[in-house]
Amino acid sequence: MQGVGQQAKLAAQILANTETSIKNNALLRIAEVMLERADWLKAENAKDLAAGRDKGLDAAMLDRLTLTDKTIAGMAEGVRQVATLADPIGTITDLSYRPSGIQVGKMRAPLGVVGIIYESRPNVTVDAAALCLKSGNATILRGGSEAIHSNQAIAACVRAGLEAVGLPAACVQVVETTDRAAVGELLRMAQYVDVIVPRGGKGLIERVSAESRIPVIKHLDGICHVYIDDQADLEKAVKVAVNAKTHRYGVCNAMETLLVAEGVAAQVLPILAEEYAAKGVELRGCEQTCALLPACVTATEEDWGTEYLAPILSIKVVADMAEAITHINTYGSQHTDAIITENYTRARAFLRQVDSSSVMVNASTRFADGFEYGLGAEIGISTDKIHARGPVGLEGLTSQKYVVLGDGHIRA
Amino acid sequence: MQGVGQQAKLAAQILANTETSIKNNALLRIAEVMLERADWLKAENAKDLAAGRDKGLDAAMLDRLTLTDKTIAGMAEGVRQVATLADPIGTITDLSYRPSGIQVGKMRAPLGVVGIIYESRPNVTVDAAALCLKSGNATILRGGSEAIHSNQAIAACVRAGLEAVGLPAACVQVVETTDRAAVGELLRMAQYVDVIVPRGGKGLIERVSAESRIPVIKHLDGICHVYIDDQADLEKAVKVAVNAKTHRYGVCNAMETLLVAEGVAAQVLPILAEEYAAKGVELRGCEQTCALLPACVTATEEDWGTEYLAPILSIKVVADMAEAITHINTYGSQHTDAIITENYTRARAFLRQVDSSSVMVNASTRFADGFEYGLGAEIGISTDKIHARGPVGLEGLTSQKYVVLGDGHIRA
């Protein structure tokens, strides 16, 4: 691993100073090579699938692991899209003259070496490599052992793209061992690695956070709320509350708890219950909710802090916005929370007072996403406050250094 | 310490939503109280000084520890200046419509709770408290045991200011124990503390970095370089190289190594040697430098990686800019590095290729400073790449959350 780190550090210095067109050409070539080698990628993937079946992986895991012509085409298209994004590196902002006569501004620079630790979805290999490459960072990728053949095959396509434009292969390294100790070593190589991005289940994220001696950009839970205010337009409220829960269930920006103001609960909850029933969503409510909805079971204290990632919704009737915000700040995961209201003052207050990475007024929590926000792509959604918060795109993989221009200026 | 953390977390929620004028009034009152209680502050300080003398603290340490009418007036003035700075909290930027119809922007929010660990300069207590207060963060301050009476006295002034405007005293807490274990506990309270800012010597910074389970904004070394290019205006070069080394010696943005292009070394080094000799600066050079300067002693490998913080300068003759950049990226501390050149292409290349928190053209490294950059004040200079890099002002103590405004928008 030390050798991997050293090589990445050297490659990062070259990549930081590589012109945009060369990085883009590498990306376009990677996409081509993946399509050219689609049959081989599927053959390598078949080895992982066979081993997975022997190991007794469940159907959902095997499904996430499977590469098809369609998923390969999707990965290639994703890489091509990263090539079309604006290159953040070298952008100078806020360049202005100071009273001393010097000009001071900020220039965007890569972080350096990004370590990505992820589970068995092979598409992460190429997604993450593409975003890091475009943002001028060298990458060390460490995927799950279940996907080792698929990941190595994708890595070969990436190397072919890098070599086609004369970039060192060490710009993107996929760790070849499945040894668990290698992760521990990666997390302690602070002299070579500038940031760690874990992608996967809660167990992985918690292990990485606990062990890492390197800054981590992480996404933990998505316990998202929608609060229906008593001054909400109830038609909008129903539309958003249904979309936020049922558009997709297994995603971090799905609503997990619905909060409803007392004043409109009797009016709006039965309508919503009917919609949820039609979609097979199980409801778990507070006492007041259960009194209004016969099909609702009583929620426990644990429900308020649970990310279901499933067709289950907890519902709580609250006195007012203040109680809703207290509930969100107590049980939420600072991911994404929305208010539905027509009241100007409450909309303003909610935006300011809710301490989450995305705070919304009259919009579905499902919008919390790098593509929807215009970042072009995302490496993850950060629930941290330091460095990057919310969807992390190319900019989240960079930092800013100060540039100072003078004409022989000295400090008096 | 757990109680301190809990109280800070609660105070942070209040402070995050406190209007600018209230925060400013608290700051102005703190400044007034410090001046009103100047005699008492000096009396409390005298207890620390007496204990310090008994303990055998050296003159420089006792000097840094001493409060006088002048230093108290200076601290009060610093607090007043923070009140005049623009409040970053709540600022919304980049609010724009997306194709889906939602409006997406970023709002600046406090980090939450900032833990400051510092050594025996009591002025840090009030400086840090003022910056954190203005940026809406609750603060836990843990100063050195040598300054415990002074720090507690200053903390009492801060509390008086907070109480005068109705803010909880827990917005700024100065830890009362000098127990070393308390620092360790603070560094592990990730559930209450959002970021740690250590201020002090290298030993302290290294201990905090190694032990902290919380993100750290740190400043380690300042091994700053000036490179005199063979296309430099030598008059500017001499002016800047003298200022960068001799304006102040014990500061992190002072030049520690001078790099000179071979083509101008024989011309410029003797002039510089005379200037440095007049100021009593000891020169340690590479072979080529020593051949040109009789008074120069030979530099060892260790010299290139040393932050002297003293009237000592290492000098190396290099073939060209490429060698200078390699030297900087090898031995530097990514703090501040400058090129002196009239060549447009090299100026551009240096700015892009040098991976330091401040990169300069034809200006003294001494400008790397929050006040000089227009930040108004600084809590430190970060040599990290994550979150904040270079001088850290109010903005470095904040993060950005996404705000989304819709009109009942749902994801299709």
Side-chain angles (χ1 to χ4, degrees), chain A residues 117-139:
Chain A
I117 299 169
Y118 56 107
E119 286 170 341
S120 59
R121 290 172 55 184
N123 66 306
V124 172
T125 310
V126 68
D127 283 1
L131 284 168
C132 289
L133 179 57
K134 182 69 183 248
S135 54
N137 293 290
T139 330

Side-chain angles (χ1 to χ4, degrees), chain A residues 4 8 11-12 15 112-116 125 128-133 137-141 169-174 379:
Chain A
V4 169
L15 204 48
V113 177
V114 180
I116 316 241
T125 310
L131 284 168
C132 289
L133 179 57
N137 293 290
T139 330
I140 301 173
L141 290 145
C171 289
V172 180
Q173 295 178 85
V174 177
I379 196 135

Side-chain angles (χ1 to χ4, degrees), chain A residues 15 17-28 133 161-162 165-167:
Chain A
L15 204 48
N17 297 300
T18 297
E19 272 184 30
T20 308
S21 64
I22 295 175
K23 295 188 283 189
N24 287 346
N25 287 339
L27 290 167
L28 296 174
L133 179 57
L162 293 168
V165 301
L167 280 170

Side-chain angles (χ1 to χ4, degrees), chain A residues 46-58 62 65 146:
Chain A
K47 295 180 193 170
D48 289 331
L49 290 172
R53 276 185 218 102
D54 287 351
K55 260 208 218 160
L57 292 189
D58 65 29
L62 287 169
L65 185 54
E146 299 85 353

Side-chain angles (χ1 to χ4, degrees), chain A residues 16-18 89 98 100 102 104 106-107 111 194-195 209-213 215 236 239-240 243 247 253 351-354 356-364 366-367 369 371-375 385-387 389 391 399-412, chain B residues 16-18 89 98 100 102 104 107 111 194-195 209-213 215 236 239-240 243 247 253 351-354 356-364 366-367 369 371-375 385-387 389 391 395 399-412:
Chain A
N17 297 300
T18 297
I89 300 306
R98 297 287 310 147
S100 62
I102 59 171
V104 180
K106 284 176 162 188
M107 183 192 278
L111 292 175
D194 295 284
V195 67
S209 304
E211 283 186 29
S212 184
R213 303 311 299 139
K236 292 178 195 168
K239 214 168 72 166
V240 169
N243 184 262
H247 183 251
N253 56 15
L351 286 174
R352 170 95 188 235
Q353 289 173 26
V354 172
S356 299
S357 76
S358 289
V359 190
M360 302 184 170
V361 178
N362 295 345
S364 170
R366 285 284 293 130
F367 281 112
D369 173 282
F371 290 94
E372 293 295 336
Y373 285 1
L375 307 182
K385 289 185 178 179
I386 299 296
H387 189 67
R389 200 173 182 193
S399 69
Q400 288 181 302
K401 63 185 182 190
Y402 282 95
V403 291
V404 175
L405 310 180
D407 192 26
H409 285 84
I410 58 171
R411 187 121 172 235
Chain B
N17 297 299
T18 297
I89 300 307
R98 297 287 310 146
S100 62
I102 58 171
V104 179
M107 183 192 277
L111 291 173
D194 294 284
V195 68
S209 303
E211 283 186 29
S212 184
R213 304 310 300 139
K236 292 178 195 168
K239 214 168 73 167
V240 170
N243 183 261
H247 184 251
N253 56 15
L351 286 174
R352 170 92 188 238
Q353 289 172 28
V354 172
S356 298
S357 76
S358 288
V359 190
M360 303 185 169
V361 179
N362 294 345
S364 170
R366 285 284 293 131
F367 281 112
D369 173 282
F371 290 93
E372 293 294 336
Y373 285 2
L375 306 182
K385 289 184 178 181
I386 300 296
H387 189 67
R389 201 174 182 192
E395 230 177 57
S399 70
Q400 289 181 301
K401 63 186 183 190
Y402 283 95
V403 291
V404 175
L405 310 180
D407 192 27
H409 284 85
I410 58 171
R411 186 121 171 235

Side-chain angles (χ1 to χ4, degrees), chain B residues 118 166 230 307 320:
Chain B
Y118 56 106
D230 59 11
E307 185 183 23
D320 52 18

Side-chain angles (χ1 to χ4, degrees), chain B residues 20-215:
Chain B
T20 308
S21 63
I22 295 174
K23 294 189 284 190
N24 287 347
N25 287 340
L27 290 167
L28 295 174
R29 185 67 197 131
I30 290 168
E32 280 170 8
V33 173
M34 288 185 70
L35 294 174
E36 288 165 14
R37 301 189 190 171
D39 287 337
W40 177 64
L41 287 173
K42 286 185 288 179
E44 290 299 303
N45 180 243
K47 295 181 192 168
D48 289 330
L49 290 173
R53 274 184 220 103
D54 288 351
K55 260 210 220 162
L57 292 188
D58 65 31
M61 274 194 90
L62 287 171
D63 185 51
R64 281 203 297 274
L65 184 55
T66 305
L67 294 181
T68 64
D69 284 324
K70 203 182 151 197
T71 56
I72 292 168
M75 289 192 287
E77 181 51 31
V79 176
R80 268 201 224 100
Q81 277 176 16
V82 173
T84 67
L85 297 177
D87 186 348
I89 300 307
T91 304
I92 296 179
T93 49
D94 304 324
L95 188 68
S96 60
Y97 282 93
R98 297 287 310 146
S100 62
I102 58 171
Q103 259 178 304
V104 179
K106 285 176 162 187
M107 183 192 277
R108 232 168 239 294
L111 291 173
V113 177
V114 180
I116 317 239
I117 299 169
Y118 56 106
E119 287 172 341
S120 59
R121 290 171 55 184
N123 65 305
V124 172
T125 310
V126 69
D127 283 0
L131 284 167
C132 290
L133 179 59
K134 182 70 183 248
S135 55
N137 293 290
T139 329
I140 301 174
L141 290 145
R142 208 289 190 178
S145 56
E146 299 85 353
I148 182 100
H149 294 97
S150 313
N151 288 337
Q152 292 298 339
I154 293 170
C157 299
V158 172
R159 273 196 302 274
L162 293 168
E163 278 158 18
V165 299
L167 279 170
C171 289
V172 179
Q173 294 178 83
V174 176
V175 177
E176 292 194 29
T177 170
T178 57
D179 180 9
R180 257 175 82 87
V183 171
E185 214 181 331
L186 178 58
L187 295 176
R188 283 188 305 273
M189 295 202 304
Q191 70 276 40
Y192 301 125
V193 183
D194 294 284
V195 68
I196 295 282
V197 181
R199 287 186 59 168
K202 209 169 164 174
L204 175 77
I205 314 286
E206 281 173 348
R207 182 193 164 194
V208 167
S209 303
E211 283 186 29
S212 184
R213 304 310 300 139
I214 300 166

